Amino acid sequence: MHEILKREVLVPNTVYLKVEAPEIARKAKPGQFVILRVDEVGERFPLSLSGWDKNEGTLEVLFLIMGRSTMKLSSLKEGDCIMDVVGPLGRPTEVESYGNAMCVCSTFGVGPTITLAKALKGRGNRVISVMEAKDATYLFWEDKLKRVSDETHVVLGDGSRGKHRQASQFVKEYLESGNKLDRVFVFGRVFTMMECSQATKPFEVKTIVGLTPIMVDGTGMCGCCRVSVGGETKFTCVDGPEFDGHLVDWELLIKRKRAYLKEEAQAFDLWQLDNLRRIAELSELPGRVSVV
Amino acid sequence: MAEKSKLNLNRVPIPKQAPDERKRNFDEVALGYADEQALEEVSRCIMCKKPGCKDGCPVNVDIPEFIKAIGAGDMPEAVRILKNRNSLPGICGRVCPQETQCEMTCNLAKKGGPIAIGRLERYVADWERVHPEVRERQKERISLSGRKVAVVGSGPAALTSAADLAKLGYSVVIFEALHVAGGVLMYGIPEFRLPKVIVQGEVGYVKSLGVEIKLNHVIGKIATVDELLESGFDAIFLAPGAGAPMFLDIPGENLSGIYSANEFLTRTNLMKAYRFPEYDTPIQVGRRVAVFGAGNVAMDASRCALRFGAEEVYIIYRRSKAEMPARLEERENAEEEGVIFKLLTNPSKFLGDERGRVRAVELYEMALGEPDASGRPRPVRKPGSEFIMEVDTAIPALGTRPNPIIPSTTKGLELTKWGTVLTDEVTGRTSKDRVWCGGDMATGAATVISAMGAGRRAATDIDALLKK
Ligand SMILES: Cc1cc2nc3c(=O)[nH]c(=O)nc-3n(C[C@H](O)[C@H](O)[C@H](O)COP(=O)(O)OP(=O)(O)OC[C@H]3O[C@@H](n4cnc5c(N)ncnc54)[C@H](O)[C@@H]3O)c2cc1C
Ligand SMILES: Cc1cc2nc3c(=O)[nH]c(=O)nc-3n(C[C@H](O)[C@H](O)[C@H](O)COP(=O)(O)OP(=O)(O)OC[C@H]3O[C@@H](n4cnc5c(N)ncnc54)[C@H](O)[C@@H]3O)c2cc1C
Ligand code: SF4
Ligand code: SF4
Ligand code: FES
């Protein structure tokens, strides 16, 4: 059982939790994730680590409410417990001295990006962060990201900050205007990862993406999370979750992620019926936004 | 004892749910002997002076002795004899491949009517389960030695070694990656073949001996083997199984609707997708399902698919019936339930629709050729025999190999070329000081009883070494 010590709704549909998990906190590294199961009938689902504190024995996650499992998780209050938290899973990000490192993030990707940017700076990199959000309502932790970056750029989908509407357009122009990048990292929406990888490819800047296929066990035992990278099948939970974005078969990833749409909708509705009242009490939950 | 002419070769059949009924539910298929049936089967045993049965059992259960105790009406004694060698009889009685083990070497097998040892074993274990006071009485008094042993995994190898070590006075901690203890017994073998209350009963027994079970602990991630040693464990027994699924390695295998048998069974058994949406985890089973392979795993997957309501379920196997590795009883059960066997057939590629879902598989026929290294006739491709079969769910059930998480995080742990941990067969010792290994991780995918045997041998050796 893992107690929720802090809960905050950051922007519509996006929830932040600080959770007690001392053993995992001791070993956590940037790029890793945990698998959670909220209750006895719950699904196992992955969330990236958005922070940890070894001394306090806590982990931080932030997530979008997408369906039944994340909805359930979002309805827990401070003091409630999550039944199972497993981790830290996946390989940590390779953090080295690259030179100019760009970190692009959208939605929940902001969390893991902050932990990575901190580590990159620790290794003497110059960190250029690019944050993408739908509009100003969905923007969060800009100051937190600024604190760990040398340069921070914000791209809003309604064009209200600067001329770009997508992070990938920014990345493309950044490189086209002669700026040199030695490594790019992208976390968040699949489309952000895919489009940024396409943007950096002509410039041959190695681009690392954190893939988010559907998982079950998260320990290499089921093969549900398989993706195709450079023509080879890889298990995201043990071989990843980070891969070279130039080698990922994006179409396959997107199709596999959509495999359960029908069942997910069914599970979501049923759960809502049972718990509508409780969710209503927690009030801060506006409509779903689609991420994929 | 009995005269030849009096030999009774008619095995008492085990009552089962009718095929038409059971293929649509997840309740146990075999219902177990009633008392009279067990006694009748017992009466067939001729109490051989040289009982062949014992030699066929990998842990040498004292078979005639426990059978005799049933006959004498002394069930507590039958339990004691059985558990003296086999700590999980309720499980082994149900899942051991008896026809290649104890029942193959039973002296009556040659005559065509071996004693149904597995069914009797299950009968005794099920009796014990409803008479817990017997188990309590048999629990030995434990005096703690002050030494600590870590056991990695909670499958049959782990549970056996943990129970043995606890009884010898060690403080034992089990580290299990999943949220439930039991290994394949929980996530792989379906409820209708091995009810989960039985497995959890055994896990509860191990706990009652004082063993601590830490779930959700992936060793290699939350702590490495070396960190466990540094943190004060005197010895480590590695029993993480061989859980990484193998795929066919043919085009189209990553289409949606294609599950490894492990994923299919994990969703079904561990996550209880058969009770979706009461349970949150979904599964998709189409109208026509193809399962590739013919081992226990393939039988389990195909029978689960039927229970999810599939109309046609095929087992596709490149060899012939004689080479199918699954337990005989489960092959028969699958056939009775309507699983269709397409033998001497192999897939070459999967075809998908525009949404990336599997819609068909291309198959070709095989012929049997010269024997290969395993002594079985080698299947060879028949040229020009390709054909397309429409399917909406495909399940490769080709076996599993060791998970790399522990080997890749443990210094000085030598592996074989198959990726299993190099282990002394008798003692379970590895190349690394104070680290033992057993079960599927040491042998590659094998059986419950062989994993238990390995757990027991390692516990004995750990004790011998730590006592010094
Ligand atoms: C390594 C990894 C790290 C992740 N980190 C985060 C994170 O930090 N924050 C966050 O909000 N989300 C993260 N995700 C995605 C998160 O796991 C899913 O959003 C979640 O499982 C959805 O579950 P649900 O039951 O609420 O929704 P569902 O009803 O199951 O799904 C709703 C939608 O989400 C998609 N989906 C379902 N399961 C997954 C999945 N495992 N991954 C991605 N999409 C899925 C479906 O295609 C569907 O469109 C991560 C995924 C992975 C693999
Ligand atoms: C579907 C199926 C059907 C089968 N049917 C039969 C049958 O009818 N009869 C028979 O005799 N045999 C059968 N078998 C084979 C038998 O189940 C196995 O040989 C046996 O379970 C192996 O036992 P084990 O103790 O080595 O490991 P497992 O039972 O595999 O258990 C290993 C445990 O270790 C855990 N683990 C793995 N890595 C780590 C880690 N890094 N840290 C912590 N924990 C970890 C796993 O989660 C798992 O719970 C079947 C197997 C399958 C898959
Ligand atoms: S443990 Fe298995 S092989 Fe041994 S007697 Fe029992 S059923 Fe037979
Ligand atoms: S070999 Fe068969 S008949 Fe003989 S004692 Fe064993 S079980 Fe009985
Ligand atoms: S989630 Fe099962 S293998 Fe990765």
Side-chain angles (χ1 to χ4, degrees), chain A residues 215-218 220-225 235 237:
Chain A
M215 293 188 172
V216 182
D217 61 301
M221 204 191 77
C222 74
C224 176
C225 64
F235 289 5
C237 64

mmCIF file of all heavy atoms in Angstrom, chain A residues 215-218 220-225 235 237, ligand 5:
data_model
loop_
_atom_site.group_PDB
_atom_site.id
_atom_site.type_symbol
_atom_site.label_atom_id
_atom_site.label_comp_id
_atom_site.label_asym_id
_atom_site.label_seq_id
_atom_site.Cartn_x
_atom_site.Cartn_y
_atom_site.Cartn_z
ATOM 1 N N MET A 215 0.968 -1.633 -21.823
ATOM 2 C CA MET A 215 1.765 -2.624 -21.088
ATOM 3 C C MET A 215 0.868 -3.449 -20.177
ATOM 4 O O MET A 215 -0.232 -3.022 -19.824
ATOM 5 C CB MET A 215 2.805 -1.913 -20.225
ATOM 6 C CG MET A 215 3.878 -1.206 -21.031
ATOM 7 S SD MET A 215 5.186 -0.589 -19.972
ATOM 8 C CE MET A 215 6.354 -0.069 -21.237
ATOM 9 N N VAL A 216 1.381 -4.606 -19.779
ATOM 10 C CA VAL A 216 0.677 -5.376 -18.753
ATOM 11 C C VAL A 216 1.586 -5.543 -17.540
ATOM 12 O O VAL A 216 1.396 -4.906 -16.518
ATOM 13 C CB VAL A 216 0.197 -6.749 -19.268
ATOM 14 C CG1 VAL A 216 -0.578 -7.479 -18.170
ATOM 15 C CG2 VAL A 216 -0.703 -6.576 -20.491
ATOM 16 N N ASP A 217 2.622 -6.392 -17.668
ATOM 17 C CA ASP A 217 3.452 -6.662 -16.494
ATOM 18 C C ASP A 217 4.553 -5.619 -16.316
ATOM 19 O O ASP A 217 4.928 -5.296 -15.204
ATOM 20 C CB ASP A 217 4.075 -8.045 -16.597
ATOM 21 C CG ASP A 217 4.961 -8.144 -17.824
ATOM 22 O OD1 ASP A 217 4.444 -7.949 -18.941
ATOM 23 O OD2 ASP A 217 6.168 -8.373 -17.675
ATOM 24 N N GLY A 218 5.118 -5.128 -17.432
ATOM 25 C CA GLY A 218 6.213 -4.160 -17.325
ATOM 26 C C GLY A 218 7.552 -4.781 -16.968
ATOM 27 O O GLY A 218 8.501 -4.076 -16.638
ATOM 28 N N GLY A 220 8.907 -7.571 -18.960
ATOM 29 C CA GLY A 220 9.443 -8.382 -20.055
ATOM 30 C C GLY A 220 8.792 -9.745 -20.196
ATOM 31 O O GLY A 220 9.341 -10.637 -20.835
ATOM 32 N N MET A 221 7.619 -9.924 -19.613
ATOM 33 C CA MET A 221 7.044 -11.245 -19.535
ATOM 34 C C MET A 221 5.897 -11.482 -20.511
ATOM 35 O O MET A 221 5.477 -12.616 -20.701
ATOM 36 C CB MET A 221 6.526 -11.394 -18.120
ATOM 37 C CG MET A 221 6.392 -12.766 -17.631
ATOM 38 S SD MET A 221 5.491 -12.648 -16.117
ATOM 39 C CE MET A 221 3.845 -12.388 -16.716
ATOM 40 N N CYS A 222 5.343 -10.414 -21.109
ATOM 41 C CA CYS A 222 4.143 -10.643 -21.913
ATOM 42 C C CYS A 222 4.299 -10.250 -23.379
ATOM 43 O O CYS A 222 3.615 -10.782 -24.233
ATOM 44 C CB CYS A 222 2.953 -9.917 -21.298
ATOM 45 S SG CYS A 222 2.966 -8.135 -21.539
ATOM 46 N N GLY A 223 5.175 -9.302 -23.671
ATOM 47 C CA GLY A 223 5.347 -8.909 -25.064
ATOM 48 C C GLY A 223 4.288 -7.954 -25.577
ATOM 49 O O GLY A 223 4.292 -7.598 -26.754
ATOM 50 N N CYS A 224 3.390 -7.514 -24.718
ATOM 51 C CA CYS A 224 2.327 -6.590 -25.126
ATOM 52 C C CYS A 224 2.918 -5.268 -25.592
ATOM 53 O O CYS A 224 2.404 -4.609 -26.483
ATOM 54 C CB CYS A 224 1.406 -6.360 -23.933
ATOM 55 S SG CYS A 224 0.122 -5.169 -24.207
ATOM 56 N N CYS A 225 4.019 -4.867 -24.989
ATOM 57 C CA CYS A 225 4.607 -3.555 -25.236
ATOM 58 C C CYS A 225 5.561 -3.581 -26.412
ATOM 59 O O CYS A 225 6.382 -2.683 -26.558
ATOM 60 C CB CYS A 225 5.348 -3.107 -23.987
ATOM 61 S SG CYS A 225 6.737 -4.205 -23.612
ATOM 62 N N PHE A 235 10.945 -5.043 -26.693
ATOM 63 C CA PHE A 235 9.975 -4.900 -25.610
ATOM 64 C C PHE A 235 10.255 -3.570 -24.920
ATOM 65 O O PHE A 235 11.313 -3.377 -24.327
ATOM 66 C CB PHE A 235 10.113 -6.043 -24.591
ATOM 67 C CG PHE A 235 9.641 -7.380 -25.093
ATOM 68 C CD1 PHE A 235 9.229 -7.572 -26.407
ATOM 69 C CD2 PHE A 235 9.601 -8.473 -24.228
ATOM 70 C CE1 PHE A 235 8.797 -8.807 -26.860
ATOM 71 C CE2 PHE A 235 9.168 -9.722 -24.671
ATOM 72 C CZ PHE A 235 8.776 -9.892 -25.984
ATOM 73 N N CYS A 237 9.253 -2.246 -22.190
ATOM 74 C CA CYS A 237 9.461 -2.194 -20.742
ATOM 75 C C CYS A 237 10.855 -2.606 -20.321
ATOM 76 O O CYS A 237 11.350 -2.120 -19.310
ATOM 77 C CB CYS A 237 8.410 -3.034 -20.023
ATOM 78 S SG CYS A 237 8.501 -4.790 -20.387
HETATM 79 S S1 FES C 5 4.708 -4.980 -20.627
HETATM 80 FE FE1 FES C 5 4.808 -7.116 -20.758
HETATM 81 S S2 FES C 5 6.670 -7.376 -21.820
HETATM 82 FE FE2 FES C 5 6.581 -5.256 -21.579
#
